[in-house]
Amino acid sequence: MREFQLYSVGHALVDIFIDVNDDEFSSLGFERGTMRLVDADEQRQLLARFQRHDPRLISGGSVANSTFAFAQLGGAAALLGCVGDDRYGLFYREEFERQGVDVGNPVIYNATTGTCVCLITPDAERTMRTCLAVSSHVDAKHVDEARLSRSEWLFLEGFMFTNGEVGRAAVREAVRVAKKHGVKVAVTCSEAFVVQHFGDIFHEILAQTDLLFANASEAKAATGASDAASAFAALRSLVPSAVVTDGPHGAYVRYGGEETHVPAFACTPVDLTGAGDMLAGTFLYGITHGTAPRQALRAACYLATKVITQVGARLHHGVKEAWAEALA
């Protein structure tokens, strides 16, 4: 058995949650419920304005959230993501290390850590401003062959494909090292626009991928199909294994000679953030720890349900218990 079951590569972002009243929100002139990319100066000004609100910090990023969930269940994971030597970068590193995730040496000196400011208004709507900063600077030179070669799976975040030649070089190098050492490759699409606007690099990497995670819109973008079931079927010709989620209509899996559909768990969603991240991380835990694909997906769907019935992209307790409950 290898030292790590998972070596993940993605954006390292600190999520900063700030509760604001309607008057404070109106004064910003933001469109409610939107997500926008901003530069470091804009983000600094926004944070300075609301420091007295005692912001809540959670280390995040799509693949990072999956990796955290994987480790919460007891999986051995390593993570590649760049942070700065500021308070947010140190917080990020400490939180993952406390969870037992090997983050290597991601701190870039005199750099700004990527942040996602999430403004929460009294109607529970979330308006986000994301500054990628140094998180988008992961390069081929950062890929650690020593750690990756001791892993069972490489897990790549689709957002990495959007980081220009620097990000693509990192992805290509990670896949090259993985193939050299017999490490399987998993990719999460991240967003449909990744497939639509960065299709060349997406399909280049997909041709070397063992397992793809996609929601219905992402799977349709990748295949040109009109619905989730057709897209799942069409992915057979593109990638050996796939998990396609379809919200309240459940999820499809093809892995290890098994192909099936798993129904969704009935729930009243509060916040859809992080559902796909939780599902991917916990499914990967299942298949690396002897759980049959259908059971692993059902348990992963159950944990994703737990995420969307609370605020925030991560469960802070009860993850192992929920997993055991779902398998039982």
Side-chain angles (χ1 to χ4, degrees):
M1 188 172 175
R2 298 196 179 192
E3 181 180 354
F4 303 111
Q5 287 104 43
L6 199 64
Y7 180 96
S8 303
V9 182
H11 288 121
L13 299 169
V14 174
D15 294 329
I16 304 171
F17 296 92
I18 304 173
D19 294 298
V20 295
N21 61 41
D22 287 321
D23 289 340
E24 288 170 323
F25 184 80
S26 296
S27 71
L28 293 168
F30 292 169
E31 185 183 344
R32 199 175 289 249
T34 55
M35 194 288 273
R36 295 277 183 275
L37 289 175
V38 298
D39 64 28
D41 283 340
E42 284 180 85
Q43 196 79 312
R44 269 194 289 272
Q45 289 169 21
L46 183 61
L47 286 168
R49 190 164 179 167
F50 292 112
Q51 276 308 312
R52 69 182 186 282
H53 285 62
D54 192 24
R56 305 188 303 280
L57 306 184
I58 298 175
S59 53
S62 173
V63 153
N65 285 334
S66 299
T67 307
F68 201 91
F70 186 94
Q72 283 178 305
L73 286 173
L79 176 67
L80 168 59
C82 291
V83 296
D85 58 344
D86 51 15
R87 62 175 286 218
Y88 299 118
L90 297 175
F91 169 84
Y92 192 96
R93 182 171 182 169
E94 285 170 8
E95 192 171 30
F96 272 91
E97 286 180 339
R98 270 201 313 274
Q99 190 54 54
V101 176
D102 185 331
V103 293
N105 185 24
V107 177
I108 310 298
Y109 293 101
N110 295 318
T112 301
T113 299
T115 52
C116 176
V117 174
C118 181
L119 301 168
I120 304 170
T121 38
D123 58 359
E125 184 65 82
R126 316 172 102 213
T127 303
M128 293 185 278
R129 292 297 180 267
T130 300
C131 174
L132 293 175
V134 79
S135 75
S136 64
H137 294 190
V138 177
D139 199 348
K141 68 186 178 188
H142 296 123
V143 175
D144 182 351
E145 184 164 358
R147 288 193 303 157
L148 179 48
S149 67
R150 303 198 305 274
S151 306
E152 291 178 34
W153 283 88
L154 166 67
F155 187 32
L156 294 170
E157 182 178 298
F159 289 132
M160 290 291 298
F161 303 158
T162 71
N163 287 348
E165 284 309 313
V166 168
R168 289 168 212 171
V171 167
R172 290 185 177 113
E173 175 64 6
V175 171
R176 184 195 69 77
V177 172
K179 295 296 179 184
K180 175 182 172 183
H181 294 283
V183 179
K184 295 184 285 289
V185 178
V187 171
T188 180
C189 283
S190 297
E191 289 281 355
F193 84 82
V194 172
V195 183
Q196 293 158 348
H197 297 287
F198 302 90
D200 289 350
I201 181 70
F202 172 78
H203 285 285
E204 175 193 330
I205 298 303
L206 189 63
Q208 303 173 78
T209 295
D210 299 286
L211 170 62
L212 177 71
F213 292 95
N215 63 26
S217 63
E218 294 157 1
K220 288 189 287 185
T223 61
S226 59
D227 59 77
S230 302
F232 175 67
L235 282 171
R236 282 193 204 107
S237 63
L238 298 177
V239 65
S241 302
V243 172
V244 174
T245 59
D246 194 18
H249 307 294
Y252 302 85
V253 60
R254 179 173 53 261
Y255 183 81
E258 188 174 342
E259 185 169 319
T260 190
H261 174 266
V262 171
F265 290 87
C267 72
T268 303
V270 174
D271 174 11
L272 297 177
T273 312
D277 302 341
M278 173 60 80
L279 185 139
T282 52
F283 180 80
L284 283 164
Y285 173 82
I287 62 171
T288 55
H289 289 78
T291 305
R294 188 183 192 284
Q295 288 176 293
L297 183 59
R298 183 158 175 78
C301 285
Y302 185 64
L303 278 158
T305 301
K306 293 281 189 185
V307 168
I308 65 174
T309 51
Q310 53 139 49
V311 173
R314 186 181 294 166
L315 295 178
H316 297 284
H317 51 78
V319 177
K320 283 185 177 179
E321 292 79 3
W323 178 262
E325 191 180 325
L327 291 182

